[in-house]
Amino acid sequence: MLLVIDYGNTNGVFAIYDGERLVAQWRCASDARRTVDEHAVWLTQLMQLIDLTPRDITAVAISNVVPAADRALRQLCRQYLNCDPVTVRDTLPSAGIAIRLSRPDQVGADRIANAKAAHDAYEGAMIIVDFGTATTFDVTDPDGGYSGGVIAPGINLSLEALYLAAARLPRITVEKPEQVVGDDTLSAMQSGVFWGYVGLIEGVIVRIDRERQRKHTVVGTGGLAPLFETVTEAIDHVDLDLTLRGVRLLYEAHCGRSA
């Protein structure tokens, strides 16, 4: 079985695949201070709940955007799972993805994985909108090549900044307001953040289409993607497992087989 680790700035997701079948996935708060032993205790206890042990893991593929967590994740694989992990960067020579950037070394591993999975599942040129710590728009060509993107503050990050910078504004959660024009501070804040992000999504997609002179298929991913899918026609598909699937596909392309 293959363990896929998608370690992001806010959350880390650990998923187990049996071939193409997703067996289980678990989420933890990202913390670069977490030791290899803490990772191992957390993971093995969750595996026991589905009658698996570390011996059932035959390979590990990692997408990690937190450099300080890299050492502990690699040690987890070698010390407790008895295997050397394959990273997204390791897979690039055999991934079949052209990185058409002036600085290809700067593109995040999760964004490469998203591009791979989207090209595998959908057709044509694409914009992948990932609602994570940052809201990213990744642009791919019809052949699957990664040709650039847009990075904006994530919606929760914006909410936190608003709360910290304005003394009289409360901390709020993301939800769709009843109407655009709020009749008190709370509803006005919710409207500004929610509909402001809808405007961001729609506006950026329109401008990318215009700049590239083509209509892109838009794929949304990340935990908040379903919330925004219900209020805009700009998103064609929501695919919540896109990054995990992309890491698995990159691993298979690298190794020429599934785990």
Side-chain angles (χ1 to χ4, degrees):
M1 291 184 177
L2 172 68
L3 173 66
V4 170
I5 302 174
D6 172 24
Y7 210 79
N9 287 298
T10 302
N11 292 306
V13 182
F14 291 64
I16 295 177
Y17 281 91
D18 185 2
E20 296 182 1
R21 183 173 68 90
L22 179 61
V23 176
Q25 62 174 289
W26 305 286
R27 186 176 299 266
C28 67
S30 297
D31 185 351
R33 298 169 301 176
R34 187 172 287 125
T35 68
V36 58
D37 300 317
E38 289 171 318
H39 278 301
V41 169
W42 175 82
L43 179 61
T44 54
Q45 287 184 337
L46 288 168
M47 291 176 64
Q48 288 174 6
L49 296 177
I50 57 171
D51 296 323
L52 292 179
T53 72
R55 289 188 296 274
D56 294 306
I57 303 300
T58 58
V60 182
I62 298 177
S63 165
N64 175 32
V65 299
V66 184
D70 187 68
R71 184 170 179 271
L73 294 175
R74 289 177 181 271
Q75 282 187 322
L76 169 69
C77 300
R78 293 166 180 153
Q79 186 173 332
Y80 287 95
L81 303 177
N82 197 33
C83 61
D84 284 317
V86 173
T87 70
V88 166
R89 293 288 172 190
D90 295 334
T91 70
L92 287 182
S94 53
I97 299 178
I99 309 296
R100 300 183 176 115
L101 303 179
S102 59
R103 293 290 303 274
D105 57 301
Q106 293 183 347
V107 63
D110 53 342
R111 303 175 78 183
I112 296 171
N114 284 347
K116 177 67 173 177
H119 182 64
D120 180 76
Y122 310 103
E123 295 183 354
M126 275 173 274
I127 300 170
I128 303 145
V129 187
D130 192 342
F131 297 90
T133 306
T135 298
T136 59
F137 299 75
D138 296 314
V139 182
T140 67
D141 297 323
D143 66 352
Y146 184 92
S147 59
V150 176
I151 302 175
I155 189 166
N156 285 314
L157 192 62
S158 296
L159 284 173
E160 188 67 13
L162 190 62
Y163 167 72
L164 292 173
R168 298 191 64 182
L169 295 183
R171 180 179 270 121
I172 63 172
T173 58
V174 181
E175 56 184 79
K176 179 185 174 183
E178 294 294 327
Q179 56 194 33
V180 175
V181 180
D183 60 5
D184 59 19
T185 298
L186 182 62
S187 61
M189 289 176 65
Q190 288 176 330
S191 182
V193 170
F194 184 86
W195 294 113
Y197 262 79
V198 172
L200 169 71
I201 296 162
E202 294 175 342
V204 169
I205 289 169
V206 167
R207 289 178 180 274
I208 292 173
D209 284 349
R210 185 183 303 154
E211 184 172 278
R212 296 301 174 97
Q213 298 182 343
R214 60 163 61 113
K215 182 71 174 69
H216 294 77
T217 298
V218 180
V219 182
T221 191
L224 291 175
L227 178 62
F228 289 101
E229 180 193 25
T230 64
V231 297
T232 178
E233 295 180 357
I235 299 174
D236 300 304
H237 309 280
V238 166
D239 194 332
L240 298 181
D241 294 326
L242 193 72
T243 310
L244 292 174
R245 197 167 69 251
V247 178
R248 176 180 64 79
L249 290 168
L250 288 168
Y251 167 83
E252 291 174 355
H254 176 72
C255 297
R257 59 179 177 81
S258 60

